[in-house]
Amino acid sequence: MNKKIIDAPAFPPGFHQSLGHFHGLWLMFDVTLDYSIGKFLRLEHSETHILVAGMEFGRKIRLLCELLKHSDHPKKQQLVEQLSILQAAKRDAITHAYVASNSTDITFIYRSRGGPYEAKELRFTYPEFKEHVTTLIEAAQRYQRMLGAPVEELLSFANTVLSLKKRS
């Protein structure tokens, strides 16, 4: 297969791949986050989906941290530590930003999402951004390992969302 390479000289080499990893992380971790909320609330998969549907990421992660603190999971402190790393990810600022860049630096320009209008910049050199993404991926992977949920259980949870639609 002949892949066409898109020229992006206004960005550091490798930036788009790292940005893809950043967004892919959240797509993959979101199911674990939702599953965890249901697990610690002792809800059925369908009830969990109903609860978390439309809930903002920040609210879900804060809820999960509190649930973990009150749980009897043997690694609850380590799980909360990994979630704290993910909370500091600047996820919304990066995801909903304009991107200004040159061949070495990336600036995410983001606007307030509530309250008075405000715009801010979040700046990274490419090595800093790549390290930021790696730190987040490693935290998500550690969380998933420590949680101990079998992959089959996560897949079952994810697929339950489809059966909810069929019941309507």
Side-chain angles (χ1 to χ4, degrees):
M1 177 196 286
N2 189 6
K3 292 184 182 180
K4 190 172 192 172
I5 297 175
I6 299 171
D7 187 27
F11 295 94
F15 167 71
H16 289 95
Q17 183 177 16
S18 293
L19 185 62
H21 289 155
F22 179 85
H23 289 297
L25 158 70
W26 304 116
L27 293 171
M28 291 182 283
F29 188 71
D30 211 31
V31 70
T32 304
L33 178 59
D34 291 356
Y35 169 86
S36 296
I37 290 170
K39 174 182 174 65
F40 292 108
L41 285 173
R42 296 181 176 86
L43 298 175
E44 297 292 325
H45 291 343
S46 58
E47 295 170 322
T48 304
H49 285 295
I50 291 166
L51 175 68
V52 300
M55 189 183 288
E56 293 175 351
F57 177 82
R59 292 180 194 267
K60 289 193 294 187
I61 207 164
R62 281 191 302 276
L63 171 61
L64 180 55
C65 283
E66 292 306 314
L67 292 171
L68 275 164
K69 290 175 187 175
H70 294 89
S71 78
D72 60 359
H73 193 285
K75 295 183 179 179
K76 66 183 177 181
Q77 183 57 41
Q78 295 97 321
L79 289 167
V80 170
E81 288 170 8
Q82 301 317 304
L83 291 176
S84 294
I85 292 168
L86 295 169
Q87 279 181 305
K90 309 247 186 245
R91 179 185 177 274
D92 286 348
I94 293 171
T95 300
H96 302 289
Y98 296 138
V99 181
S101 179
N102 60 40
S103 62
T104 59
D105 301 305
I106 304 105
T107 302
F108 295 95
I109 302 168
Y110 61 100
R111 298 166 288 181
S112 55
R113 299 187 75 195
Y117 178 81
E118 182 175 41
K120 295 182 180 177
E121 294 180 327
L122 177 61
R123 295 175 186 261
F124 293 93
T125 63
Y126 176 63
E128 289 169 342
F129 183 69
K130 189 173 181 178
E131 179 61 29
H132 179 68
V133 172
T134 300
T135 298
L136 301 174
I137 290 170
E138 290 170 345
Q141 290 172 339
R142 283 190 299 268
Y143 178 90
Q144 291 170 322
R145 280 193 305 273
M146 287 187 281
L147 179 65
V151 172
E152 298 78 22
E153 182 71 11
L154 290 169
L155 289 173
S156 173
F157 172 77
N159 286 317
T160 300
V161 77
L162 295 172
S163 65
L164 285 173
K165 183 176 168 75
K166 293 175 188 171
R167 290 184 204 165
S168 312

